[in-house]
């Protein structure tokens, strides 16, 4: 049992029946929509992609008009433009998107992405000096810059134009730039403050091309937006959802050469691209270049129209990804050894010299998920400077916790669920104390991570093949629109079979005369704590399994426990 707390929702039976009988929606889909608070058929049609969505006007974003004016001035006067990006997937897709658009204008531009190891995240003065020496007249940041107050002042001293586009949390003072476009600005009334960095860039392009229809912009650039938005774990709701939906269509119908090669090397032929494909296949490979200090490889791969070049770049990326996996495994083993010596329930803050900064974020995420605690993994360089990746767990606001400790930090930035931090080695112990205090002051005592379940399936026949197939209409899935999680209670456990060299377990259950196949990944059979013949409760994701030409429903188990005994009455 992984979760002590199962938060089981429910659904409005009358709403579900209306959606099914009056509107003709599939019964399982109708129940799911009802369980997620969708009662209006118009809202349901938009959610399912069956009705048009009205995208928000980009000019509702503060400073968008200033950004458009400054960039048009640069184009009209043949100024040298530099796109200043970031080394994660959101940053790289942002660079590729803006660069692709500038290519259509025959602009004089280049791309600058700081080196993760020696420069760190965001604008820095040394980089601005270099750009000035190259002849740059306008710097456009993507996915960074909103906290670069001092660097913006330095850019002004160098007589560099500066347009900032970002989506990260703002501090009390904004940079003094020609324009600061960020939906999280306190004075910004744009309806969607959850855009990814690439989403903000897309909106900038839409504003620059305001005379062109939105569908034309979506056809050209929505694949970049989908990849960056999913990779950055932005909410898959409302406008973001529609941007991702369009992007998935492009990725499935006419993927760019580089992306197509990544997919062909990693997946069986004709595999449909969904959000999980981005999260687990495309994004890790693109990210490998940034983590290993060569983000320009991924940007080139995203932009190239040459198949031979794409093949060469994809091979290089695969090699970097292999090396990334090796370093990640080594570091994660070290972290696990450190944690095995402690049973603390405090947030995890670990630091060491020699760790590779490029894989700190992955290790922090895995550590946070396994121990169900906020985690910070800090890599200390030879000069005693620590650069850490922070990942939250549950609803803990990690950005606010860093703000509480900001006097100890050289810099920090990010979101409430993921952030980066730079500090001196000598301040790490005090950060651990201060951060832990904030955690316990802002976390309920006895907090236990919960598993959110849409509803209990009382009649197993609801999980028939056509019904389970229908939930594909709820794609794209992701943050804010998770894959359906259901549960069945008091099912008879019929069999347990260890598979995958003992790493995974296959089970079968039966309820009300209906037998169901189940798979429990990363759970050895000996750790189940249930036995054949028991009545069990299972929490699961319903999936379609195709094997050797046979299609069946398979329940992907997320948790299992022995059913509560039925009270005996006399």
């Amino acid at each position: 049992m992984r979760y002590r707390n199962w938060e089981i929702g429910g659904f409005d039976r009358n709403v579900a029946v209306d959606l099914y009988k009056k509107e003709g929606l599939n019964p399982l889909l109708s129940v799911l929509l009802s369980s997620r608070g969708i009662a209006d058929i118009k809202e349901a049609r938009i959610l399912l992609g069956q009705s048009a969505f009205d995208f928000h006007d980009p000019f509702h974003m503060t400073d968008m008009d200033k950004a458009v004016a400054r960039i048009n001035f640069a184009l009209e006067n043949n100024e040298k433009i530099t796109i200043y990006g970031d080394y994660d997937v959101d940053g790289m897709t942002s660079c590729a998107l803006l660069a692709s658009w500038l290519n259509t204008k025959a602009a004089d531009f280049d791309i600058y992405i700081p080196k993760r190891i020696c420069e760190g995240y965001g604008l820095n003065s040394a980089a601005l000096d270099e750009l000035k020496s190259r002849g740059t007249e306008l710097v456009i940041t993507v996915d960074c810059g909103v906290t670069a107050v001092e660097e913006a002042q330095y850019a002004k001293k160098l007589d560099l134009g500066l347009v900032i586009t970002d989506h990260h949390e703002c501090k009390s003072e904004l940079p003094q730039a020609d324009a600061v476009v960020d939906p999280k600005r306190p004075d910004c009334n744009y309806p969607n403050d959850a855009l990814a960095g690439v989403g903000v860039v897309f909106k900038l392009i839409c504003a620059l091309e305001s005379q062109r229809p939105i569908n034309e912009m979506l056809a050209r650039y929505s694949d970049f937006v989908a990849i960056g938005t999913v990779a950055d774990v932005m909410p898959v709701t409302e406008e973001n959802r529609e941007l991702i939906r369009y992007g998935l269509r492009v990725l499935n119908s006419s993927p760019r050469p580089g992306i197509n090669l990544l997919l062909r090397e990693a997946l069986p032929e004709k595999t449909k691209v969904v959000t999980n494909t981005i999260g687990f296949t495309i994004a890790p490979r693109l990210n490998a270049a940034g983590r290993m200090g060569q983000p320009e490889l991924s940007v080139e791969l995203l932009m190239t129209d040459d198949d031979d070049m794409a093949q060469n770049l994809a091979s290089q990326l695969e090699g970097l990804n292999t090396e990334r996996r090796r370093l990640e495994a080594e570091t994660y083993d070290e972290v696990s050894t450190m944690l095995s010596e402690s049973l603390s329930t405090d947030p995890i803050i670990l630091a060491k010299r020699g760790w590779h900064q490029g894989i700190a974020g992955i290790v922090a995420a895995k550590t946070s998920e396994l121990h169900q605690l906020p985690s910070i993994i800090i890599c200390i360089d030879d000069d005693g400077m620590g650069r850490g990746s922070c990942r939250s767990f549950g609803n803990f606001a990690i950005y606010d916790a860093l703000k509480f400790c900001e006097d100890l930090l050289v810099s920090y930035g990010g979101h409430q669920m993921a952030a980066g931090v730079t500090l001196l080695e000598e301040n790490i112990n005090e950060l651990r104390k201060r951060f832990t205090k904030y955690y316990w002051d802002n976390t309920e005592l006895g907090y236990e991570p919960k598993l959110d379940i849409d509803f209990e399936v009382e009649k197993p026949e609801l999980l028939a093949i056509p019904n389970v197939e229908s939930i594909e209409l709820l794609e794209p899935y992701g943050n804010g629109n998770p894959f359906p999680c259901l549960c069945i209670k008091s099912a008879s456990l019929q069999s347990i079979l260890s598979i995958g060299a003992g790493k995974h377990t296959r089970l079968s259950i039966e309820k009300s005369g209906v037998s169901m196949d189940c798979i429990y990944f990363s759970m050895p059979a000996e750790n189940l704590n249930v036995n054949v013949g028991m009545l069990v409760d299972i929490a699961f994701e319903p999936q379609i399994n195709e094997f050797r030409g046979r299609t069946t429903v398979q329940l992907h188990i997320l948790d299992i426990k022995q059913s509560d005994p039925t009270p005996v009455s006399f």
Side-chain angles (χ1 to χ4, degrees), residues 272-290:
K272 185 175 181 180
V273 178
V274 295
T275 50
N276 271 356
T277 315
I278 294 174
F280 295 103
T281 302
I282 298 175
R285 285 163 172 78
L286 294 175
N287 237 338

Side-chain angles (χ1 to χ4, degrees), residues 92-166:
M92 291 186 286
T93 51
S94 297
C95 287
L97 195 166
L98 184 53
S100 296
W101 180 80
L102 287 172
N103 272 330
T104 69
K105 304 301 176 184
D108 179 13
F109 77 93
D110 62 9
I111 299 172
Y112 186 92
I113 302 176
K115 298 295 185 185
R116 181 191 291 261
I117 305 302
C118 57
E119 293 182 80
Y121 167 81
L123 283 171
N124 68 80
S125 297
L128 293 174
D129 282 332
E130 180 178 339
L131 298 183
K132 181 67 177 179
S133 70
R134 293 182 186 177
T136 296
E137 295 167 275
L138 173 63
V139 176
I140 305 174
T141 75
V142 295
D143 193 31
C144 65
V146 77
T147 61
V149 175
E150 293 180 4
E151 290 79 7
Q153 290 175 344
Y154 190 68
K156 186 172 291 188
K157 186 182 298 185
L158 294 176
D159 197 28
L160 275 174
L162 179 62
V163 169
I164 291 171
T165 74
D166 203 347

Side-chain angles (χ1 to χ4, degrees), residues 433 475 508:
K433 294 175 186 176
E475 274 277 4
S508 65

Side-chain angles (χ1 to χ4, degrees), residues 310-381:
Q311 180 67 65
N312 179 42
L313 292 168
S315 297
Q316 291 183 63
L317 272 187
E318 198 61 40
L320 289 174
N321 196 39
T322 300
E323 176 64 7
R324 186 270 303 171
R325 286 176 175 169
R326 184 188 68 79
L327 289 170
E328 176 194 331
E330 287 180 0
T331 306
Y332 186 69
D333 285 346
E334 288 188 61
V335 167
S336 299
T337 300
M338 291 178 178
L339 292 174
S340 67
E341 301 168 359
S342 170
L343 296 175
S344 174
T345 56
D346 290 342
I348 296 167
I349 301 179
L350 298 175
K352 186 179 176 182
R353 289 177 180 254
W355 281 346
H356 194 290
Q357 190 186 336
I359 47 80
I362 308 177
V363 174
K366 291 177 67 174
T367 303
S368 176
E369 184 66 27
L370 179 65
H371 295 274
Q372 302 182 345
L373 289 166
S375 299
I376 303 178
I377 300 299
I378 302 171
C379 309
I380 306 169
D381 64 23

Side-chain angles (χ1 to χ4, degrees), residues 524-539:
E526 61 268 21
N527 294 347
L528 283 174
N529 295 320
V530 291
N531 300 310
V532 170
M534 282 184 177
L535 291 180
V536 295
D537 301 344
I538 64 167

